[in-house]
DNA sequence: TACGATTAAATCGCATGCGATTTTATTGGT
DNA sequence: ACCAATAAAATCGCATGCGATTTAATCGTA
């Protein structure tokens, strides 16, 4: 309003942006859910399967680094995928602490059935390739900056 | 790669964008958490309090419409806020089905202590006002479009 | 070699989200 | 006035996320 005091107003936008991301994330889940229901996968499970389809035999740690998740989230999730028969969990031979994740036959087979999830999503989003990649880039940069800030905050406290 | 077959590649970007949003949302939570810990609030609880600080006496339905959440999420959350003494839940007089949410004294008092959350967030994000509002707008538009698509998908099935 | 520090997973507890259902109150048509 | 349809919350079950801690294996160094 006044020239001298726009700071309060501006700061509110930070909250708005966070809510935009929060509610957009929920919206994505709502689109993914009906698509993934047919595959008996949740969205985080789908993310893990995507990684494994790209490359097998990753450790829990490596998966966590890619998805920004910790073992306290991944271990139960991976056990559920194992229970449904999509993956195997094997202790590393050289290092017994490491658990490596391998696709089973049905885990690999699911890849084909997951083929149209991406195209449905792309259609629902309705942005062209350029906009998509630009937007992803902006969000990823912001994410990495925030993770840095979060570390500062928690280290200080 | 080939000129004739870029569709597969393009569709993958849809998955990437969704993951960008997913992981950015987690990153926001990591920044908010240490800030909100001092207020004994979670991020969704903070969102509800923001609404109430702006305007008291909303119904659960109205809060849900703003935050895109259902009663199955809000009811337990609101009961926790009531248990910590920040809000009151009262049945509407004209319509006994409706539960309206009111700030208590300590709920109102918390507003002052929450003042620097926004400014810390704004600093962590590190974008200027114009970029912030443009980005929010893009994400909100996408969210609303996706919710529309999700309804189509679930209605079809 | 011994042993404390480090590391990878796992475990525990709590707070979301949400699909599905239930409970209670209100409304609308006859 | 009656009663099915509708509407608002609440309840239940399950799958994340994550802080905090624990367990088990490996490493580093005296």
């Amino acid at each position: 309003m006044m020239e001298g005091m726009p700071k309060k107003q501006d700061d509110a936008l930070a909250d708005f942006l966070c809510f935009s991301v929060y509610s957009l994330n929920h919206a994505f889940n709502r689109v993914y859910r009906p698509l993934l229901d047919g595959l008996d996968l949740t969205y985080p499970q789908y993310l893990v399967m995507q990684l494994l389809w790209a490359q097998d035999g990753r450790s829990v740690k490596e998966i966590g680094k890619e998805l920004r998740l910790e073992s306290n989230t991944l271990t139960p999730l991976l056990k559920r995928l194992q229970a449904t028969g999509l993956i195997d969990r094997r202790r590393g031979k050289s290092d017994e602490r490491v658990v490596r994740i391998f696709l089973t036959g049905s885990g690999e087979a699911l890849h084909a059935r997951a083929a149209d999830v991406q195209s449905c999503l792309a259609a629902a989003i309705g942005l062209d390739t350029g906009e998509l990649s630009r937007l992803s880039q902006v969000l990823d940069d912001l994410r990495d900056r925030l993770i840095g800030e979060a570390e500062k905050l928690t280290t200080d406290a």
Side-chain angles (χ1 to χ4, degrees), chain A:
Chain A
M1 222 169 242
M2 301 268 100
E3 266 306 330
M5 200 50 195
K7 210 66 185 52
K8 268 273 160 47
Q9 196 82 343
D10 291 2
D11 286 352
L13 282 174
D15 271 342
F16 286 144
L17 177 61
C18 184
F19 177 69
S20 297
V21 172
Y22 168 85
S23 60
L24 176 55
N25 184 48
H26 289 172
F28 265 120
N29 272 320
R30 271 194 246 178
V31 177
Y32 266 109
R33 190 181 302 273
L35 297 174
L36 293 177
D37 265 356
L39 308 178
D40 277 307
L41 289 176
T42 64
Y43 177 65
Q45 288 169 1
Y46 172 71
L47 289 178
V48 170
M49 293 303 288
Q50 288 251 312
L51 285 185
L52 295 176
W53 287 326
Q55 190 191 341
D56 224 2
R58 294 170 198 255
S59 69
V60 173
K61 190 77 174 183
E62 286 163 349
I63 293 172
K65 180 160 186 164
E66 302 250 25
L67 300 184
R68 275 82 178 175
L69 295 173
E70 306 285 328
S71 69
N72 50 11
T73 297
L74 284 174
T75 296
L77 186 156
L78 292 168
K79 284 187 172 179
R80 276 175 218 116
L81 288 178
Q82 185 182 35
T84 59
L86 295 175
I87 63 169
D88 272 343
R89 293 158 65 245
R90 295 187 220 134
R91 289 279 167 184
K93 280 164 194 156
S94 61
D95 188 337
E96 285 279 335
R97 290 173 303 181
V98 175
V99 170
R100 298 201 169 278
I101 311 297
F102 297 89
L103 290 170
T104 62
S106 71
E108 281 186 22
L110 194 64
H111 196 177
R113 290 212 291 136
D116 53 343
V117 172
Q118 284 185 353
S119 53
C120 287
L121 240 290
I125 292 173
L127 296 177
D128 67 42
T129 306
E131 289 172 306
L132 273 180
S133 71
R134 258 197 311 283
L135 187 50
S136 281
Q137 191 62 57
V138 169
L139 300 181
D140 288 345
D141 288 348
L142 180 52
R143 176 198 61 207
D144 293 338
R145 189 158 61 250
L146 286 176
I147 289 177
E149 294 296 325
E151 274 166 19
K152 277 194 231 165
L153 283 174
T154 23
T155 309
D156 290 356

